[in-house]
């Protein structure tokens, strides 16, 4: 499990509006859970009621710190405290020190040496269980995790050392540079490239799987979101589209069908 993206989470100023957007778009069913001092929402897909993503409300304190509406990913690690310390010792930063979520696991919020933020977590599994996830390619799940780095070539070794990722296919994007995909074992899980100059900072982005890309892009607009990049073909016989939800969080969609 170490090095695998296991959860994706939306921070939004309006959870009710976000439910109304992502539910119809991705086929998600929300369930609210009362936590200590706040409500946490999980999103489920058919056949996987425990959820494939989560959501919580941005607090005024978070907004005051400059945190915008956003999606973030959680990477499983064997030892959160050890990995967080390695981040800091190798030029990264710890934005939220390791802490426990009772019954869920232990997590921390960290940033790589170029500033891209991600969460790391050691899940708490019942004895004898190793966890389960929907089959790769399931509609409504994240099918791809993407780093827009300050300089992907300089940060690659940092990630490989932390998570055991291996380079996979490298795609020449002409003026945009090399798009380096990566895998864990025999499963491709993401890619990284150097961000465009107009992007304000490095960040992790995520691609949600939909049945057909054109219909999904139209649905984004119908539900009040924005299509920032029209459907584009990518290697692997897939299509992608870049979007922004009505509350301002960026996300992407992907499908094998136009």
């Amino acid at each position: 499990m170490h090095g695998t993206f296991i959860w994706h989470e939306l921070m939004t100023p309006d959870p009710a509006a976000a439910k109304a957007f992502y539910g119809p778009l991705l086929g998600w069913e929300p369930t609210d859970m009362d936590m200590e001092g706040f409500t946490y929402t999980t999103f489920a897909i058919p056949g996987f009621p425990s959820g494939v993503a989560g959501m919580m409300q941005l607090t005024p304190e978070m907004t005051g710190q400059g945190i915008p509406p956003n999606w973030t990913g959680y990477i499983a690690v064997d030892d959160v405290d050890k990995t967080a310390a390695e981040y800091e010792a190798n030029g990264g930063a710890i934005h939220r020190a390791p802490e426990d979520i009772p019954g869920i696991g232990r997590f921390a919020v960290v940033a790589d040496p170029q500033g891209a933020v991600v969460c790391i977590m050691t899940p708490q599994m019942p004895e004898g269980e190793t966890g389960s996830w929907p089959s790769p390619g399931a509609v409504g799940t994240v099918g791809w995790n993407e780093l827009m780095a300050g300089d992907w070539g300089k940060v690659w070794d940092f990630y490989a050392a932390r998570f055991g990722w291996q380079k996979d296919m490298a795609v020449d994007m002409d003026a945009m540079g090399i798009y380096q995909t990566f895998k864990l074992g025999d499963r491709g899980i993401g890619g990284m490239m150097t961000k465009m100059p107009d992007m304000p900072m490095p960040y992790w982005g995520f691609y949600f799987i939909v049945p057909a890309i054109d219909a999904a892009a139209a649905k984004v607009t119908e539900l009040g979101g924005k299509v920032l990049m029209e459907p584009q073909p990518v290697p692997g016989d897939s299509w992608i589209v870049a979007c922004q939800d009505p509350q301002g969080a960026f996300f992407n969609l992907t499908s094998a069908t136009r």
Side-chain angles (χ1 to χ4, degrees), residues 216-235:
K219 193 72 172 178
V220 168
T221 302
E222 176 189 327
L223 293 167
K226 297 178 182 179
V227 174
L228 305 177
M229 180 190 74
E230 294 300 322
Q232 300 288 327
V234 294

Side-chain angles (χ1 to χ4, degrees), residues 47-131:
F48 202 77
S50 59
V52 295
M55 176 179 68
M56 60 187 299
Q57 185 168 15
L58 275 171
T59 65
E61 180 183 6
M62 294 173 184
T63 302
Q65 294 172 352
I67 300 175
N70 71 91
W71 279 97
T72 191
Y74 283 72
I75 303 173
V77 294
D78 295 333
D79 186 330
V80 161
D81 295 74
K82 178 177 180 290
T83 302
E86 288 178 354
Y87 255 75
E88 195 168 53
N90 288 276
I94 300 173
H95 288 325
R96 184 164 181 169
E99 61 181 276
D100 294 321
I101 305 174
I104 302 297
R106 186 168 177 81
F107 85 107
V109 182
V110 293
D112 70 26
Q114 298 175 0
V117 175
V118 75
C119 296
I120 53 176
M121 171 176 270
T122 302
Q124 180 181 329
M125 299 292 181
E127 187 174 351
E129 292 188 17
T130 58

Side-chain angles (χ1 to χ4, degrees), residues 11-30:
M11 304 288 287
T12 181
D14 191 337
K19 289 179 193 177
F21 177 78
Y22 287 102
L25 178 64
L26 297 174
W28 285 350
E29 290 292 337

Side-chain angles (χ1 to χ4, degrees), residues 171-203:
V171 181
D172 189 342
M173 305 284 287
D174 296 323
M176 297 173 67
I178 297 296
Y179 187 89
Q180 180 64 60
T181 67
F182 59 89
K183 61 185 179 178
L184 187 65
D186 59 359
R187 181 184 175 192
I189 55 175
M192 59 178 69
M193 66 181 295
T194 299
K195 71 178 185 64
M196 296 297 98
D198 60 342
M199 295 178 180
M201 64 180 295
Y203 69 95

